[in-house]
Amino acid sequence: MSDEVLFEVDGGVGRITLNRPRQINALTQAMLAEIGDRLADWVDDDAVEWVHLTGAGERGLCSGADVRALRAELTERGEAAAEVFFTIEYAVDALIANYPKSVRADMFGITMGGGMGLSAHCSERVVRADSRLAMPETIIGLFPDVGVLYELSRAPGELGTHLALTGGSVGAADAVLLGLADHAAGEVPPAVLPGQRDWIDACYAGDDPLAIVHRLEEHPDAEARETAAVLRQRCPFAVAVTLAAIRRAATLPSVAAVLAQDHALAVPMVLRPDFSEGVRAQVVDKDRNPAWNPARLEDVDPAEVAAVFAQLV
């Protein structure tokens, strides 16, 4: 046991505190394994009536998986490292989604990526004024995983598609609207997304990522055109895979089923050069200038995207 996750049972509450505040509680494989083991122990522990998940520090619950560490593991051990990491992570997310006791997540500050996997499927999901929720995986050559496409595919209109493809963040009120949170603690800023529904719903319809970008680029609303520019910066192959994944997630019956899809997609996706390059550009060198391959959505081969999904058909 390390001190990167703290566990306590007090007054009927099993408390889990992510404890890497300098890294905004980024998740390592060891942390995820510890959380899974402890939650499994607490299932039959009468001293634990319900579980409370929070994070140390003031910056946020969790910034996501420690992708720098994952990238290093992939460089050293390749596919085996990916298989182990995602098997452990998604098993914990599935356990939380189906946990027999109430689990409350305090989704304060930055709550993103893998942190959403731990919190978005809890039975009580609480946001507050400083909450910023996101699944920013297309920024690093991946797709929104950890089962969150279950919620995003069921969000009103095409709001979930917009968030999944752009990797944009939302505040507390929009998180509740999207179905990523249940309620806010205290007063929070008003939702932004309802005012953007017209162009989002019109532009994000369909299954063709390039057609979506073209509609955004040609839309009279300046926000739509700005969003097109954002999408042009995201990993083209990841955008295409994400669109196909969220459409398929809408047909799946449970978070567990979406997590099974995630596992099938995540391993080949992180083995592509785009993931290593995306993490390099965002986290390692921080030059924010990734060299994607292919470089444009126009050059993404639909057959190559379909191949990622082949084992799911």
Side-chain angles (χ1 to χ4, degrees):
M1 299 291 289
S2 71
D3 62 356
E4 293 187 337
V5 189
L6 305 178
F7 302 97
E8 179 187 16
V9 177
D10 180 35
V13 183
R15 303 188 189 281
I16 300 175
T17 304
L18 308 179
N19 191 39
R20 297 181 76 200
R22 290 184 62 185
Q23 295 83 13
I24 320 181
N25 303 315
L27 297 164
T28 65
Q29 181 175 301
M31 291 168 67
L32 289 161
E34 288 181 22
I35 294 168
D37 289 345
R38 189 57 61 97
L39 284 171
D41 291 342
W42 283 349
V43 167
D44 298 316
D45 188 342
D46 292 339
V48 178
E49 298 171 12
W50 62 282
V51 176
H52 182 204
L53 172 68
T54 189
E58 295 299 319
R59 297 171 68 191
L61 171 64
C62 179
S63 59
D66 188 333
V67 291
R68 180 196 293 261
L70 177 58
R71 179 178 184 260
E73 281 290 300
L74 291 168
T75 300
E76 184 174 336
R77 298 194 295 118
E79 184 174 352
E83 282 284 354
V84 172
F85 181 85
F86 290 118
T87 296
I88 291 172
E89 181 177 31
Y90 298 162
V92 175
D93 298 335
L95 178 59
I96 289 172
N98 295 287
Y99 206 65
K101 301 178 181 181
S102 176
V103 184
R104 168 181 167 145
D106 285 342
M107 305 169 81
F108 71 95
I110 293 173
T111 303
M112 299 182 179
M116 292 288 290
L118 294 181
S119 57
H121 313 308
C122 288
S123 48
E124 183 183 5
R125 306 161 301 170
V126 184
V127 284
R128 67 187 197 191
D130 68 348
S131 294
R132 298 304 301 176
L133 277 58
M135 293 298 295
E137 282 75 12
T138 58
I139 299 173
I140 57 169
L142 197 52
F143 67 99
D145 62 338
V146 295
V148 175
L149 287 181
Y150 180 84
E151 286 84 5
L152 289 181
S153 67
R154 288 154 174 81
E158 295 291 346
L159 295 182
T161 310
H162 171 59
L163 266 293
L165 268 58
T166 62
S169 65
V170 295
D174 282 314
V176 174
L177 171 67
L178 288 162
L180 299 173
D182 297 304
H183 59 89
E187 293 187 14
V188 299
V192 173
L193 290 175
Q196 302 173 337
R197 275 289 300 273
D198 286 349
W199 62 264
I200 287 175
D201 288 354
C203 293
Y204 282 93
D207 300 333
D208 183 343
L210 189 57
I212 288 172
V213 171
H214 285 163
R215 285 194 291 268
L216 289 165
E217 288 173 334
E218 296 163 4
H219 200 278
D221 193 306
E223 286 183 310
R225 298 193 300 274
E226 291 166 6
T227 299
V230 169
L231 277 177
R232 287 291 190 182
Q233 296 171 349
R234 302 299 179 245
C235 173
F237 192 79
V239 167
V241 168
T242 296
L243 182 61
I246 194 170
R247 296 297 187 244
R248 193 175 186 278
T251 71
L252 298 176
S254 63
V255 172
V258 175
L259 284 165
Q261 170 176 280
D262 290 347
H263 191 278
L265 302 179
V267 174
M269 286 295 285
V270 297
L271 295 178
R272 289 177 55 85
D274 281 337
F275 177 73
S276 179
E277 173 64 5
V279 174
R280 180 207 64 76
Q282 292 296 324
V283 180
V284 180
D285 298 335
K286 300 182 181 179
D287 58 32
R288 308 294 193 268
N289 187 32
W292 303 125
N293 184 20
R296 306 182 308 153
L297 266 174
E298 285 84 350
D299 300 324
V300 173
D301 183 354
E304 192 175 354
V305 174
V308 178
F309 289 83
Q311 63 181 297
L312 291 166
V313 175

